[in-house]
């Protein structure tokens, strides 16, 4: 057993999340975490809503509410959506807790004392019409490096280089199109070049990363520049230095505080567990492993910036230093980045209504149907297009006609003819061959999930399902009706039910809701696939109360075949999956305005 950290990207709390978001950070991290728990590892899966920064302030102003009120609204929406998908967080919290503020300020202080945070005068962008600071990401222009015309003031999405807004050619505000004014202002900068050597050595030791992630990360090291970590903002974590902490016009910038959330959420979880030091098992133990899940637009923050913060706090950059009070902290084991999910050939866009929000999806369709699509056809290593026609096809042809049909007909025949799991007789070569296929699936599927190849993993699990369906068709137990043939019928159905049980375990990380149902249809009791709960909690340090997503995942299926017990009563099953009418495609496209 080892300690495994599943650090999941923090969804931004300025609106509800759509299915493109959860295809990148949500479902892949949950599949991995569920499998690792089933395989006997001690998993800590953490995240929360990212609630600071100017975009929250801008949206709050537009809605006529305070930033906290806006964050409260969408924190709850996002918690409910992730709960509906069955994402098994040990703690899904938020960045507006006092615990988070304290941890962010501790890392800032440690980096500052080690010399990796320095003050300097720079140019800040101001809106001429309002006099307010424009955040870097709200300024757009032509990239001075590659010529891309829609580069942001913090980064060019075309060439991946970090930028400052004053570097852009023909800069303009994305809020109202006006040309920003640039004025001198003092801010604190993270000395990223001081980590280039340490980052390079660390990246050279990374094995098994997706090639695009590793190559992109190494390329970023060629031209690292100091990066501002404070902004002229009212909404954010106060700067923990004399002369700065009480200022209302300067705050720590959101990108700095959000990545620290992985650590602060782990510390909050430990404090709530009754053992405030328990987080160290995942952050200080050299044998612990940490996997970070996000979309590809977040690679730089997880493979360069977050490791730099950890190195600097631990005193391991060019300037040396000593670890802060939290001690030396583990670097990521792997950055697991997904590509983009598009929708009917277009980019997701809330403003253009090219979107389906998670809660709207779950009101009409089963969570496992979406989880299956993301696992089988999601943007694991390439941009992928979600189409309603493909969603309906996979649901009907693979989930219903493949897996659901195997469950239904094998349990139905056994319930009708025996009323229980039948006793097996002597096994034939065909019986043993199928059981061996199912047994071998545990090593194959488990290894693939462990290597973040979930598309291949669920494909291998469904191959077991296909072999079992073929076995039933070939053996035709429904023809063995006379009394002399009934023992053979019992053997065939026992073998089929055993493989249903094994396939269900193989599919549990992907399809936890239906896995629990199949477990119960086979006469199983207790928790097979544990689910998260929404719990209303008080802030540990006196702040406002809020909802968290958490759960007890100590119970549940283990990764391996469990022999069925003959004589276990069976009842006629209800369908596990819903077949969708093809008219769904036209209805959904009409909603999209396609």
């Amino acid at each position: 057993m080892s300690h495994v950290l599943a650090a999941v990207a923090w969804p931004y709390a300025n609106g509800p999340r759509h299915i493109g978001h959860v295809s990148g950070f949500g479902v892949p991290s949950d599949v991995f975490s569920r499998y690792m728990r089933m395989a006997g590892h001690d998993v800590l899966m953490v995240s929360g809503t990212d609630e600071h920064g100017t975009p929250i302030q801008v949206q709050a102003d537009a809605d006529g509410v305070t930033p906290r009120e806006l964050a409260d609204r969408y924190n709850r929406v996002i918690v409910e959506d992730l709960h509906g998908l069955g994402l098994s967080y040990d703690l899904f919290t938020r960045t507006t807790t006092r615990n988070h503020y304290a941890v962010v300020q501790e890392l800032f202080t440690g980096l500052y004392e080690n010399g990796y945070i320095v003050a300097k005068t720079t140019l800040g962008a101001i809106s001429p019409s309002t006099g307010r600071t424009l955040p870097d990401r709200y300024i757009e222009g032509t990239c001075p490096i590659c010529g891309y015309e829609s580069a942001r003031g913090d980064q060019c999405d075309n060439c991946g280089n970090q930028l400052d807004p004053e570097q852009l050619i023909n800069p303009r505000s994305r809020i109202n199109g006006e040309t920003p004014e640039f004025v001198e202002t003092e801010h604190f900068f993270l000395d990223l070049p001081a980590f280039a050597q340490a980052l390079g050595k660390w990246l050279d030791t990374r094995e098994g990363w997706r090639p695009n992630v590793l190559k992109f990360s190494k390329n970023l090291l060629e031209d690292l520049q100091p990066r501002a970590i404070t902004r002229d903002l009212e909404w954010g974590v106060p700067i923990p230095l004399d002369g700065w902490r009480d200022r209302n016009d300067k705050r720590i910038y959101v990108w700095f505080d959000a990545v620290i959330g992985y650590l602060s959420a782990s510390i909050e979880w430990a404090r709530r567990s009754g053992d405030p030091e328990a987080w160290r098992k995942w952050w200080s133990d050299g044998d612990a492993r940490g996997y970070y899940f996000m979309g590809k637009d977040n690679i730089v923050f997880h493979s360069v910036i977050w490791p730099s913060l950890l190195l600097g706090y631990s005193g391991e950059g060019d300037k040396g230093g000593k670890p802060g009070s939290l001690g030396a902290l583990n670097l990521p084991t792997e950055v697991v980045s997904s590509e983009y999910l598009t929708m009917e050939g277009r980019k997701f866009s809330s403003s253009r209504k090219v979107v389906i929000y998670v809660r709207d999806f779950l009101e009409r369709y089963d969570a496992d149907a979406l989880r299956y699509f993301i696992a089988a056809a999601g943007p694991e290593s390439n941009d992928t297009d979600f189409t309603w026609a493909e969603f309906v096809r996979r649901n009907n042809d693979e989930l219903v006609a493949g897996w659901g049909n195997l469950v239904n007909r094998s349990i139905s025949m056994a319930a009708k003819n025996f009323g229980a799991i039948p006793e097996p007789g002597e096994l034939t070569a065909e019986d043993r061959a199928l059981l061996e296929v199912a047994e071998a699936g545990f090593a194959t599927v488990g290894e693939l999930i462990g290597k973040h190849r979930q598309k291949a993993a669920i494909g291998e699990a469904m191959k077991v399902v296909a072999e079992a369906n073929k076995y039933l068709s070939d053996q035709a137990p429904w023809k063995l009706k006379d009394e002399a043939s009934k023992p053979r019928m019992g053997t065939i159905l026992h073998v089929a039910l055993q493989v249903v049980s094994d396939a269900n375990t193989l599919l549990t990380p992907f399809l936890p809701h239906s896995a629990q149902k199949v477990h119960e249809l086979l006469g199983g009791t207790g928790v097979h696939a544990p689910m998260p709960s929404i719990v209303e909690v008080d802030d540990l340090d006196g702040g406002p109360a809020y909802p968290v997503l958490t759960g007890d995942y100590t119970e549940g299926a283990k990764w391996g075949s469990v022999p069925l017990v003959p004589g276990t009563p069976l009842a006629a099953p209800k369908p596990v999956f819903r077949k969708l009418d093809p008219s769904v495609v036209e209805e959904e496209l009409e909603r999209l305005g396609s």
Side-chain angles (χ1 to χ4, degrees), residues 86-104:
L87 305 188
S88 57
Y89 290 96
D90 291 278
L91 184 67
F92 184 89
T93 178
R94 60 194 305 185
T95 57
T96 47
T97 68
R98 294 187 179 180
N99 172 80
H100 178 72
Y101 276 43
V103 176
V104 169

Side-chain angles (χ1 to χ4, degrees), residues 72 378 424 528 589:
D72 284 347
H528 177 86
L589 289 176

Side-chain angles (χ1 to χ4, degrees), residues 569-582:
L570 296 176
K574 295 179 181 178
V576 178
F577 301 104
R578 291 186 295 153
K579 187 173 183 178
L580 300 176
D581 192 293

Side-chain angles (χ1 to χ4, degrees), residues 12 50-56 95-96 100-101 235-237 254 257:
Y12 202 55
D50 179 5
E51 300 180 1
H52 292 126
T54 307
I56 295 283
T95 57
T96 47
H100 178 72
Y101 276 43
W235 177 242
V237 180
V254 63
D257 95 79

Side-chain angles (χ1 to χ4, degrees), residues 81-345:
D81 289 349
L82 302 184
H83 175 261
L85 279 170
L87 305 188
S88 57
Y89 290 96
D90 291 278
L91 184 67
F92 184 89
T93 178
R94 60 194 305 185
T95 57
T96 47
T97 68
R98 294 187 179 180
N99 172 80
H100 178 72
Y101 276 43
V103 176
V104 169
Q105 292 174 332
E106 167 61 25
L107 259 72
F108 184 102
T109 302
L111 286 158
Y112 181 79
E113 291 178 348
N114 283 340
Y116 296 108
I117 291 178
V118 295
K120 57 187 289 190
T121 299
T122 184
L123 291 176
I126 301 294
S127 166
S129 62
T130 66
R132 298 182 72 168
T133 300
L134 279 171
D136 294 350
R137 64 188 302 169
Y138 274 70
I139 302 171
E140 194 172 74
T142 300
C143 176
I145 299 171
C146 71
Y148 180 58
E149 294 183 355
S150 298
R152 296 197 314 263
D154 59 349
Q155 180 178 319
C156 176
D157 288 337
N158 185 57
C159 66
N161 283 289
Q162 297 174 48
L163 298 171
D164 290 319
E166 68 270 16
Q167 294 177 278
L168 294 174
I169 301 168
N170 298 322
R172 58 195 175 275
S173 167
R174 294 176 64 187
I175 298 173
N176 56 21
E178 66 186 2
T179 301
E181 294 178 1
F182 292 97
V183 298
E184 285 193 347
T185 182
E186 188 176 18
H187 281 295
F188 289 97
F189 281 69
L190 178 67
D191 187 7
L192 278 176
F195 302 108
Q197 186 175 359
L199 287 170
K201 288 181 179 179
W202 169 66
L203 287 171
D204 284 342
T205 67
R206 300 301 87 199
E207 297 178 356
W209 282 32
R210 291 173 179 170
N212 61 315
V213 178
L214 193 57
K215 182 179 179 181
F216 178 78
S217 302
K218 288 185 175 181
N219 287 343
L220 291 173
L221 303 185
E222 295 175 6
D223 189 32
L224 288 181
Q225 301 294 326
R227 185 160 183 153
I229 61 172
T230 58
R231 280 293 184 270
D232 295 311
L233 292 172
E234 304 167 15
W235 177 242
V237 180
I239 301 165
L241 296 175
D242 291 342
W244 293 83
R245 60 171 52 87
D246 296 325
R247 293 184 63 167
N248 291 325
D249 62 336
K250 302 280 187 181
R251 289 289 186 272
I252 293 174
Y253 203 31
V254 63
W255 66 259
F256 181 89
D257 95 79
V259 290
I260 296 172
Y262 301 117
L263 177 59
S264 69
S266 301
I267 291 173
E268 182 185 345
W269 168 83
R271 293 177 67 191
R272 293 190 183 281
S273 76
D275 180 3
E277 299 299 309
W279 62 273
R280 295 186 184 277
K281 297 173 185 176
W282 288 269
W283 288 91
S284 303
D285 187 335
D287 293 327
R289 292 175 284 162
Y291 299 88
Y292 290 71
F293 294 84
M294 82 288 306
K296 65 180 177 182
D297 54 336
N298 270 325
I299 293 174
V300 62
F301 295 103
H302 295 84
S303 67
V304 173
I305 291 173
W306 179 226
S308 295
L309 303 187
L310 293 167
L311 286 164
Y313 183 81
S314 301
E316 296 178 15
D318 288 353
K319 299 177 181 179
K322 61 181 182 179
S325 62
L326 299 176
L329 301 169
N330 291 342
L331 294 175
T333 302
E334 185 172 353
V335 173
V336 186
S337 167
S338 297
E339 302 294 298
Y340 290 140
L341 187 73
T342 55
M343 187 169 188
E344 298 291 346

Side-chain angles (χ1 to χ4, degrees), residues 303-584:
S303 67
V304 173
I305 291 173
W306 179 226
S308 295
L309 303 187
L310 293 167
L311 286 164
Y313 183 81
S314 301
E316 296 178 15
D318 288 353
K319 299 177 181 179
K322 61 181 182 179
S325 62
L326 299 176
L329 301 169
N330 291 342
L331 294 175
T333 302
E334 185 172 353
V335 173
V336 186
S337 167
S338 297
E339 302 294 298
Y340 290 140
L341 187 73
T342 55
M343 187 169 188
E344 298 291 346
R346 293 181 285 174
K347 287 184 177 181
F348 278 93
S349 171
S350 299
S351 61
R352 297 186 183 95
K353 297 184 179 179
V354 183
V355 68
I356 179 164
Y357 294 114
V358 172
R359 63 179 37 216
D360 294 336
F361 197 104
L362 296 181
E363 283 178 0
R364 303 198 285 274
Y365 309 104
D366 296 334
D368 278 3
L370 177 58
R371 290 178 64 113
Y372 180 80
F373 182 92
I374 290 171
E380 181 176 277
S381 54
N382 300 100
D383 290 351
T384 302
D385 193 38
F386 175 93
T387 67
W388 285 107
E390 181 67 357
F391 170 70
V392 170
R393 185 195 70 77
R394 285 189 178 273
N395 181 84
N396 291 352
D397 295 356
E398 297 173 13
L399 276 184
V400 176
W403 176 224
N405 179 53
L406 174 65
V407 172
N408 193 277
R409 65 173 175 163
S410 55
I411 295 177
S412 291
M413 281 188 282
K416 179 180 178 180
N417 291 281
F418 298 92
I421 294 173
E423 188 81 39
E426 186 175 345
L427 299 183
T428 65
E430 291 80 6
D431 300 337
R432 291 193 182 89
L434 180 62
L435 290 170
E436 287 170 4
V437 166
E439 177 68 30
F442 289 101
T444 304
V445 175
E447 182 179 8
L448 288 168
I449 296 176
K451 292 181 176 178
H452 310 291
R453 296 181 58 199
Q454 296 183 9
K455 193 176 292 188
I458 199 168
E460 290 295 325
M462 291 300 283
K463 283 182 184 177
V464 175
V465 171
E467 287 295 323
N469 271 319
K470 182 178 184 301
Y471 167 84
L472 274 179
S473 297
D474 291 347
Q475 299 299 315
W478 52 86
K479 293 181 179 179
L480 306 175
K481 295 180 179 179
D482 58 78
E483 201 61 31
S485 302
K486 198 165 185 180
R488 177 60 191 156
M489 175 195 270
T491 300
I492 295 168
L493 291 177
H494 182 95
V495 169
L497 291 172
Q498 180 63 59
V499 175
V500 167
S501 176
D502 290 348
N504 190 49
T505 303
L506 293 172
L507 288 166
T508 294
F510 304 98
L511 310 174
H513 301 86
S514 55
Q516 182 68 39
K517 293 178 183 178
V518 173
H519 170 71
E520 293 168 4
L521 290 174
L522 288 169
T525 58
V527 176
H528 177 86
M531 286 292 168
S533 300
I534 299 174
V535 180
E536 302 289 333
V537 299
D538 292 325
D539 188 287
L540 291 167
D541 304 298
Y546 54 97
V548 301
L549 203 56
T550 187
D552 179 1
Y553 310 112
T554 54
E555 300 296 322
K558 304 304 178 189
W559 194 252
S561 179
V562 177
L564 294 179
V565 179
T568 301
L570 296 176
K574 295 179 181 178
V576 178
F577 301 104
R578 291 186 295 153
K579 187 173 183 178
L580 300 176
D581 192 293
S583 64
V584 161

